[in-house]
Amino acid sequence: SVALEFGGRAIQSLPLEVPANGAASVSFMPVTITGPNMRGVVRVAPDGLPLDNAFNFVVSPSRPLRLLVIDSGGAGSVYLTRALAIGDAPRYEVVVKPPDAVADADLQRAEAVIVNDVVVTAGLGRRLATVLERGGGLFVAAGPRAVWPSDVDVLPGTIAAMTDRSRGTEARMGALEFAPPVFEVFRAPRSGDFSTVRFYGYRTATA
């Protein structure tokens, strides 16, 4: 028999037959998660090796990830917020603010901040650093308008000014690393050829 215990009480016990040299599974009834970090245990009936007869786990209720998007508005903001709105693993609770309207309460509530192509002053940069200090996330999208203060040293590299290739020979991508999750969908054959893409402006970053 295989039993499920949750929050210190027995939920359900089911019979299970496992073939020799094989595997089997069982599905328990749904359980309502009433609070964070609830402890569950799956137990099998006593046998000759009792040390592995209990599997412990901890679960918490699903809730959206609180994001603060610092954005000056425009088409880029619309695309970003619409993309975040369809996320479900996790879901996102998004607040969009221009740089000069970001309050300390916004930063304290956010679990991650997206800085979307805006000018970040030294004061705002130091306030964003506090998000990282308490374990939050920070994503900086360095578009053509973006400026990051040089005296706020929290990024993994230095972002250079824009390089304009609109009046000369455009830039092309020489190599692409497909390991990051954002590029996984392009790994398969005939899933897009990045070498044909032309770039008329870009930034370099020094680690």
Side-chain angles (χ1 to χ4, degrees), residues 110-174:
E111 295 169 274
V113 180
I114 298 177
V115 180
N116 191 30
D117 192 24
V118 296
V119 176
V120 176
T121 63
L124 178 57
R126 285 190 288 269
R127 292 165 64 207
L128 288 170
T130 64
V131 177
L132 296 173
E133 290 167 359
R134 60 175 173 77
L138 176 64
F139 185 94
V140 178
R145 297 171 295 184
V147 175
W148 184 266
S150 59
D151 59 342
V152 181
D153 187 18
V154 297
L155 300 184
T158 303
I159 303 172
M162 283 288 296
T163 299
D164 185 3
R165 298 287 288 267
S166 61
R167 301 187 179 179
T169 305
E170 70 277 2
R172 293 177 183 265
M173 192 173 295

Side-chain angles (χ1 to χ4, degrees), residues 18-19 53 56 87-89 101 113 126 164 167 178 183 190 206:
V18 184
N53 286 358
N56 298 281
D88 59 1
V113 180
R126 285 190 288 269
D164 185 3
R167 301 187 179 179
F178 290 97
F183 291 120
R190 297 183 296 278
T206 304

Side-chain angles (χ1 to χ4, degrees), residues 9 11 21 30 55 59-60 62 83 88 98 103 123 133 150 159 176 203:
R9 66 186 182 90
I11 301 297
N21 302 314
F55 175 79
V59 294
S60 293
S62 175
D88 59 1
E133 290 167 359
S150 59
I159 303 172
L176 181 64
R203 292 176 183 266

Side-chain angles (χ1 to χ4, degrees), residues 81-106:
T81 53
R82 287 184 178 177
L84 292 171
I86 62 175
D88 59 1
R91 293 178 294 115
Y92 298 105
E93 179 183 299
V94 181
V95 174
V96 182
K97 291 284 186 75
D100 56 358
V102 176
D104 289 340
D106 297 323

Side-chain angles (χ1 to χ4, degrees), residues 29-44:
M29 62 190 297
V31 178
T32 301
I33 310 300
T34 57
N37 302 323
M38 290 190 65
R39 181 178 178 230
V41 185
V42 176
R43 300 185 190 275
V44 297

